[in-house]
Amino acid sequence: MAKEKPDLLQGTLDLLVLKALQLEPMHGFGISVRIRQMSDEVLQVEQGSLYPALYRLEEQGWIKAEWGVSDNNRKARFYQLTAAGRKQLNAETENWERISAAINLVLKGT
Amino acid sequence: MAEEMRGHLEMQTRANLDAGMSPDEARYAAQRQFGGVDQLKEIAREQRGFVWFDQLGQDFRAAVGGLAKSRRFTVFAVAILALGIAVNTALFSVIYGVLLRPYPYARVNEIWVPRLSAVQAGSGVGGLRIGEYLAIVGLPAVAQAMTANPQQATLAGGINPEVVRSVHMSSTAFDFLGVAPVVGRTITPSDYQSNGDPQPVAVLSYKLWQRRFNGDPAAIGQSLTLNDQPHVIIGVMPPRFAWHTGDGLWVPLATKQLQQGTNVLVRLKPGFTSEVAAQQLRALLLEEQRKTPNRFPKEGFRVQLDRYPDVAGASGQVRSSLHLLLFAVGFLLLIACTNVANLQLVRATIRRRELAIRLALGATRARLVRQLLGESMALSLLGGASGALLAGWLTQVIIKLLPPAYVPVEARVELNLPVLAFCAGLSWLTGVVFGLVPAWQSTQVDLNEALKSGGHGFSRGGRTRGGLVIAQVALSSLLLVSAALTIRGFVRSSVFDSGFQPERTLMLRVPLTPNRYRTAAERNTFTRELLERMVRLPGVISVAAGTLPGMEGDVVYAIPGMMIPDGARVTANAMSADYLSTLGLPLRAGRNLTAQEVAFGDPVALINESAAKLWTDGRTPIGRIIQLNVPAPLRPGPQPAATADGKRNVTIVGIVGDIRENGLRTGARPGVFLPYTLRGGTQRLLIVRTEDKPLNLLGLVREELRALAPGQPLDQPVTWEELQAVETAVPRFNMALFTVLALVALGLAGAGIYAVLSYDIAQRTRELGVRIALGAARTDIARLVLVSGARLVACGLALGLAMCFPLAGLARNRMTGLGALEPAMVIAAALVLAATALAACWLPARRATKVDPMEALRSE
């Protein structure tokens, strides 16, 4: 996997992760499962992309992590949204809707 | 993080299992999905902020690895750095211990010494007296004052009574100096009775305590007999405390004799400057002058306060030569650093291809610079550490070799913390400075050019390298020349003609203390008996008693009919009848004194050649008069007239050769030799000319003396050869140090030349191979290499030798005993340097001739 992803995709993944964490805190594996479920098996996030995204989001202060115990009694790191993260989620969602609408317009045109 | 990943992997595996895969499949699929964990870690790490820290660790490890690979280079560079740093640090330790902090006394810079000087240069002023000391204590500017009066005392007990230095200290002196005793207590005002008389107590020096009591703390309370008076021991001072004596003792000062001369020191109250204090002291002394005008010069006197370290510390000559040494050592360090810089440059050039490839693969320039810098820092750390160890050992060696004249008794030279800090700072600095330039240069690599194979001839940076080698050679030549100078100075001082024949003479000081011999008559009788007994001993050729120039003070004199400059003095020495023959002093003109003239103390005298020059009218001084302060002669008859100030006429009957008592530094002072019966004085030097080794007779002489006068102490005997060794100690030390420095510099310069030439040959292998293939003879190749090396050396020599003339002039002003720079020395230094350079070029040249053309053409 390349170190540099096209900016659009990276931003999108961040958005998905934030969305996945909207309801409750989850560990990495759970987030990838969640995204798969929510996208109806279309979006399969590789761990290679997921964890860098998680660390990046943590760096920027939109999610925070804690060590906890998972269902199978294993130690795992649970991520949850911070207040700033929630605001960022709203902002990015708006942004995404605006951009995708614009792209659709362009594609529909002749 | 690893744990997190593992947890994720497990969960994925479980999910796969649930989805129906077999356990192996499940795990395999999970791992495939996962991808490389390490790469993940890398990425994840880079997202974090701790990136730089990790990278630093990586760089350091890479640096150490890189250094370990090129082991020869590393060892070479570390050795060079260590040597330079060690020598510099060791010398700095010495300077710190000798010049900066030699004294253990409290706040030494605040101790002031009053100095009286006459307005008219030359006429003397007496020192301060006890009465004045007592008044000084009460001056408004003075916070504390002390006085100490060093004297000799006879210490009884044991096999031999011995003479020790007994320093009489005022009641608050120990408090003034602020050093605590190791055992017991010091002298305090409580040791004085109510009438002002001191109690008979004594404080021992550490050495004396060890010697007589073996360091037993029970010595406190025991009693010592000094000058036939028992004293109670109340304390012992630490080894570094050596006020006026290092192996004597201190007793309370009796302040009854107000007229006794003494040394005074003061500490000032805050807010008072030394000038104000001097004025107050002057006012006090003007009062004194009104009461006793004879003590003070008529034209007036000045009072001034000097700081104690300036007065008592390492003398000017010693100070300046230590400064000079620091310069020389600085040169050495420079040479070492340029060597290391050169090596760095060479290595960087070798690695150009590697660096270019790394740059191409995406490493940032900053990262490369960081790694190169890391290498040079690791190098300098290693160099600094080994340098510190070497410095410790070197300091011990220097301490053992230091001549006693250099060092105040209280000084202790050791490798201490400020010095270590200096060492560490220096090593870090050299690492950074000399690693930075090559590092920066190396990253300015043109990728294309570097990736193409091989360089040719003096590739990029050659001029810098050449320049560095020239600088090394120049500095080395300077050090060589200075070494030559010091060698010459030493040789000259050790073979100087002292003026008489000192071999096989035994000299002992026989102090005639006032306790035992109160009058001059008693002293003279004793001396005569002593001479008569000693001359009868077997193995004795002749015996004399008297003094040598410098043992007792100079005296003023007058010559009728001549203007004598104020303050001009002659040495007045005592002699017995056989003085000349015992010492081997040549008689240049006239005649010797007769035994009767000596016995009766007739006013006749001999003068030395320097004194003979005082009569400037061309006629011989023999038969003429010189006027000195001497007592009336003993022979009955008409007394010769005395002048107004008590001088009597003394007739000159002969001229003797000069005794150069101060080595070559000063010529002989004009001196007069009077019969000892006339001269008086309490010092006698017993001079015995022996057939055999002088020290063999020492036991006999002692016995004879004990038979004549039991309890009469003898000072330590000394042969003239030993005295001479003291004279040459300073030049010998200079010579040793400078020679070592020069040799080390030579070695370093040679190493530098060798390194640079080897590298260049390695670069030119291809070219050399081509030449050989085209028919060049091996000797041609060798010549090629030698010429390129010789060119560098010649430039360096020229530069160095051009600089050495002005610098030598500068050095001569500051360091006595060096002498003029002679062409012979310069040529000798140049030859030595050329020879070393030749040797350094030889090995690379040989290697060049062994180049196999086929190999060369095939290799890069």
Side-chain angles (χ1 to χ4, degrees):
Chain A
M1 64 219 90
K3 198 162 55 165
E4 325 247 342
K5 286 175 116 89
D7 245 315
L8 194 56
L9 253 118
Q10 194 181 48
T12 321
L13 178 58
D14 290 355
L15 179 57
L16 293 176
V17 168
L18 287 176
K19 182 71 182 179
L21 287 175
Q22 193 183 25
L23 287 182
E24 53 169 354
M26 260 188 292
H27 50 61
F29 179 66
I31 294 175
S32 69
V33 164
R34 193 72 193 291
I35 294 177
R36 208 156 23 105
Q37 283 175 347
M38 287 168 79
S39 69
D40 216 1
E41 303 295 317
V42 173
L43 295 176
Q44 314 223 354
V45 183
E46 287 180 354
Q47 287 80 338
S49 326
L50 175 64
Y51 281 98
L54 282 174
Y55 298 143
R56 198 169 45 242
L57 291 171
E58 189 184 353
E59 244 342 82
Q60 291 171 317
W62 295 335
I63 61 176
K64 61 181 181 204
E66 264 175 7
W67 283 100
V69 182
S70 68
D71 346 329
N72 52 345
N73 277 332
R74 237 196 165 272
K75 208 164 93 161
R77 238 163 154 241
F78 283 81
Y79 298 90
Q80 61 175 276
L81 281 183
T82 62
R86 280 184 206 283
K87 262 190 275 179
Q88 182 72 6
L89 175 57
N90 292 333
E92 293 227 9
T93 315
E94 259 186 55
N95 202 22
W96 169 259
E97 281 163 3
R98 197 162 40 86
I99 290 183
S100 56
I103 294 178
N104 283 337
L105 267 182
V106 168
L107 290 177
K108 281 221 188 84
T110 43
Chain B
M1 193 189 313
E3 186 149 3
E4 192 176 4
M5 307 291 187
R6 250 182 295 143
H8 192 133
L9 195 60
E10 263 197 34
M11 287 187 245
Q12 182 71 62
T13 314
R14 175 129 350 116
N16 287 347
L17 271 176
D18 293 338
M21 298 192 208
S22 72
D24 284 328
E25 269 182 5
R27 217 178 308 130
Y28 187 56
Q31 273 180 340
R32 226 187 324 132
Q33 260 192 319
F34 215 78
V37 181
D38 289 313
Q39 273 164 309
L40 266 182
K41 282 198 205 160
E42 176 80 38
I43 294 170
R45 277 215 195 93
E46 294 212 359
Q47 304 289 6
R48 291 221 186 132
F50 296 119
V51 162
W52 65 269
F53 192 70
D54 276 335
Q55 278 189 342
L56 200 68
Q58 261 182 355
D59 289 338
F60 190 72
R61 258 173 286 147
V64 172
L67 284 181
K69 254 194 286 176
S70 43
R71 210 162 307 160
R72 207 159 42 139
F73 162 80
T74 311
V75 168
F76 215 34
V78 167
I80 289 175
L81 255 181
L83 201 62
I85 287 176
V87 175
N88 220 343
T89 309
L91 216 84
F92 191 80
S93 309
V94 171
I95 290 184
Y96 186 82
V98 170
L99 282 184
L100 297 181
R101 285 246 185 295
Y103 301 109
Y105 313 120
R107 300 183 314 275
V108 185
N109 283 326
E110 295 173 16
I111 301 182
W112 295 89
V113 182
R115 178 156 60 98
L116 271 68
S117 50
V119 169
Q120 272 271 44
S123 51
V125 181
L128 293 172
R129 304 197 175 175
I130 291 188
E132 284 144 14
Y133 160 70
L134 292 172
I136 288 175
V137 176
L139 283 179
V142 171
Q144 266 186 313
M146 71 163 273
T147 180
N149 211 346
Q151 291 179 13
Q152 313 267 60
T154 316
L155 189 58
I159 307 184
N160 283 325
E162 55 176 303
V163 175
V164 291
R165 211 98 198 271
S166 94
V167 183
H168 295 245
M169 303 281 265
S170 57
S171 55
T172 53
F174 278 94
D175 183 50
F176 184 98
L177 291 174
V179 179
V182 282
V183 194
R185 64 176 182 87
T186 59
I187 296 174
T188 56
S190 64
D191 291 307
Y192 286 80
Q193 296 168 17
S194 46
N195 62 354
D197 278 336
Q199 306 271 28
V201 294
V203 177
L204 303 183
S205 64
Y206 196 80
K207 275 201 200 148
L208 190 61
W209 183 46
Q210 293 291 344
R211 194 152 49 86
R212 283 194 92 112
F213 295 93
N214 284 324
D216 185 6
I220 310 290
Q222 288 190 35
S223 146
L224 276 183
T225 311
L226 288 168
N227 283 346
D228 302 322
Q229 241 208 326
H231 283 69
V232 177
I233 300 173
I234 56 171
V236 180
M237 296 309 284
R240 273 189 81 186
F241 184 88
W243 195 259
H244 283 293
T245 173
D247 56 2
L249 41 76
W250 297 274
V251 293
L253 175 72
T255 50
K256 286 266 179 74
Q257 288 175 296
L258 299 178
Q259 295 308 313
Q260 198 180 9
T262 185
N263 304 309
V264 179
L265 293 99
V266 297
R267 288 190 195 270
L268 303 177
K269 289 203 186 114
F272 285 91
T273 62
S274 66
E275 287 87 14
V276 170
Q279 278 170 16
Q280 293 180 358
L281 183 57
R282 190 185 153 78
L284 183 76
L285 289 175
L286 285 172
E287 246 325 292
E288 267 316 293
Q289 191 180 27
R290 259 191 296 126
K291 288 192 231 156
T292 51
N294 282 340
R295 251 186 76 204
F296 298 85
K298 286 187 290 288
E299 308 81 12
F301 61 92
R302 273 192 290 257
V303 178
Q304 179 177 350
L305 258 56
D306 297 320
R307 281 190 206 272
Y308 177 73
D310 294 333
V311 173
S315 69
Q317 184 217 359
V318 168
R319 271 198 137 96
S320 64
S321 63
L322 275 176
H323 285 150
L324 219 59
L325 279 175
L326 199 59
F327 263 111
V329 169
F331 280 174
L332 192 69
L333 193 67
L334 233 80
I335 295 180
C337 289
T338 52
N339 236 332
V340 174
N342 236 349
L343 288 174
Q344 297 272 47
L345 281 176
V346 160
R347 192 148 167 272
T349 335
I350 291 177
R351 299 169 69 186
R352 267 165 81 222
R353 285 186 79 210
E354 171 202 338
L355 292 177
I357 293 175
R358 288 183 66 187
L359 273 177
L361 285 182
T364 56
R365 181 166 294 165
R367 188 110 191 254
L368 283 184
V369 170
R370 256 217 313 270
Q371 185 187 343
L372 290 175
L373 210 58
E375 277 183 11
S376 48
M377 287 220 46
L379 202 67
S380 59
L381 276 173
L382 271 177
S386 31
L389 285 173
L390 193 61
W393 174 79
L394 204 61
T395 314
Q396 296 304 317
V397 171
I398 294 184
I399 291 173
K400 290 214 189 80
L401 294 178
L402 270 183
Y406 257 50
V407 183
V409 181
E410 302 96 327
R412 287 292 176 273
V413 179
E414 53 198 11
L415 198 63
N416 52 5
L417 279 174
V419 172
L420 219 51
F422 180 65
C423 177
L426 205 63
S427 83
W428 183 79
L429 197 68
T430 50
V432 168
V433 168
F434 287 103
L436 207 57
V437 167
W440 192 243
Q441 255 194 4
S442 306
T443 57
Q444 307 267 17
V445 172
D446 182 358
L447 290 180
N448 246 333
E449 208 193 288
L451 285 171
K452 293 196 210 141
S453 56
H456 23 255
F458 284 96
S459 42
R460 186 206 294 257
R463 221 174 301 155
T464 328
R465 284 198 306 279
L468 286 176
V469 169
I470 292 178
Q472 285 179 24
V473 172
L475 288 174
S476 307
S477 63
L478 278 178
L479 283 180
L480 274 176
V481 169
S482 53
L485 276 175
T486 54
I487 292 176
R488 190 83 169 351
F490 169 70
V491 165
R492 258 194 310 169
S493 76
S494 63
V495 299
F496 79 92
D497 179 15
S498 53
F500 61 97
Q501 291 161 4
E503 323 83 50
R504 291 201 298 265
T505 49
L506 179 68
M507 291 189 261
L508 294 116
R509 247 193 257 260
V510 184
L512 304 176
T513 56
N515 282 352
R516 300 179 69 99
Y517 310 101
R518 241 163 297 144
T519 66
E522 287 179 15
R523 288 200 287 269
N524 293 340
T525 316
F526 174 75
T527 311
R528 198 183 53 236
E529 286 178 4
L530 184 69
L531 289 174
E532 283 169 9
R533 283 192 147 217
M534 293 298 170
V535 81
R536 278 184 255 135
L537 288 178
V540 169
I541 300 181
S542 69
V543 187
T547 59
L548 279 179
M551 274 179 68
E552 294 186 330
D554 301 353
V555 297
V556 289
Y557 66 97
I559 298 180
M562 265 179 56
M563 273 301 300
I564 308 289
D566 239 352
R569 285 159 195 261
V570 290
T571 63
N573 309 295
M575 60 177 282
S576 62
D578 291 326
Y579 188 79
L580 291 186
S581 53
T582 311
L583 275 181
L585 200 58
L587 187 66
R588 301 278 189 223
R591 62 168 180 86
N592 193 3
L593 303 183
T594 66
Q596 271 148 329
E597 285 168 337
V598 172
F600 284 110
D602 283 349
V604 288
L606 303 173
I607 60 174
N608 62 9
E609 286 166 321
S610 300
K613 296 202 191 98
L614 292 174
W615 279 265
T616 49
D617 58 1
R619 288 185 307 153
T620 172
I622 298 187
R624 299 169 79 167
I625 304 282
I626 185 172
Q627 290 168 330
L628 301 165
N629 272 329
V630 287
L634 301 167
R635 208 202 285 257
Q639 305 284 358
T643 65
D645 51 359
K647 297 201 183 62
R648 290 182 203 279
N649 291 352
V650 174
T651 314
I652 297 169
V653 297
I655 304 180
V656 296
D658 285 337
I659 298 177
R660 267 178 241 118
E661 78 270 17
N662 265 338
L664 234 62
R665 256 183 284 125
T666 55
R669 287 176 292 174
V672 180
F673 294 83
L674 301 159
Y676 68 84
T677 40
L678 193 59
R679 176 71 176 97
T682 55
Q683 289 287 343
R684 291 282 182 277
L685 194 68
L686 182 66
I687 307 166
V688 182
R689 182 170 276 276
T690 61
E691 283 171 357
D692 236 336
K693 281 181 121 160
L695 286 175
N696 290 346
L697 275 183
L698 183 58
L700 262 179
V701 170
R702 272 203 208 273
E703 274 207 25
E704 201 61 35
L705 184 65
R706 215 177 304 132
L708 174 63
Q712 168 63 43
L714 273 182
D715 245 355
Q716 286 298 346
V718 60
T719 59
W720 180 253
E721 285 82 11
E722 285 171 337
L723 271 179
Q724 213 179 12
V726 172
E727 239 347 276
T728 60
V730 171
R732 179 156 37 114
F733 181 68
N734 285 345
M735 173 186 86
L737 219 59
F738 272 96
T739 312
V740 166
L741 284 177
L743 287 177
V744 172
L746 208 59
L748 286 179
I753 297 175
Y754 169 78
V756 166
L757 278 185
S758 303
Y759 164 71
D760 279 330
I761 290 175
Q763 285 299 92
R764 296 166 74 175
T765 321
R766 227 191 190 187
E767 170 202 340
L768 293 176
V770 170
R771 280 183 194 255
I772 295 179
L774 287 183
R778 304 279 167 170
T779 50
D780 289 336
I781 302 291
R783 201 168 355 118
L784 202 69
V785 175
L786 285 176
V787 160
S788 59
R791 220 175 328 152
L792 286 179
V793 173
C795 283
L797 258 181
L799 190 64
L801 296 181
M803 283 201 289
C804 76
F805 283 95
L807 284 184
L810 212 75
R812 191 143 49 100
N813 287 343
R814 313 203 83 220
M815 200 159 94
T816 53
L818 271 187
L821 190 63
E822 292 170 15
M825 281 185 241
V826 174
I827 293 175
L831 282 178
V832 171
L833 198 57
T836 316
L838 200 69
C841 295
W842 182 70
L843 207 59
R846 217 167 72 114
R847 211 180 305 150
T849 62
K850 294 232 169 90
V851 167
D852 179 12
M854 295 310 291
E855 282 289 334
L857 289 170
R858 244 181 284 143
S859 76
E860 297 283 2

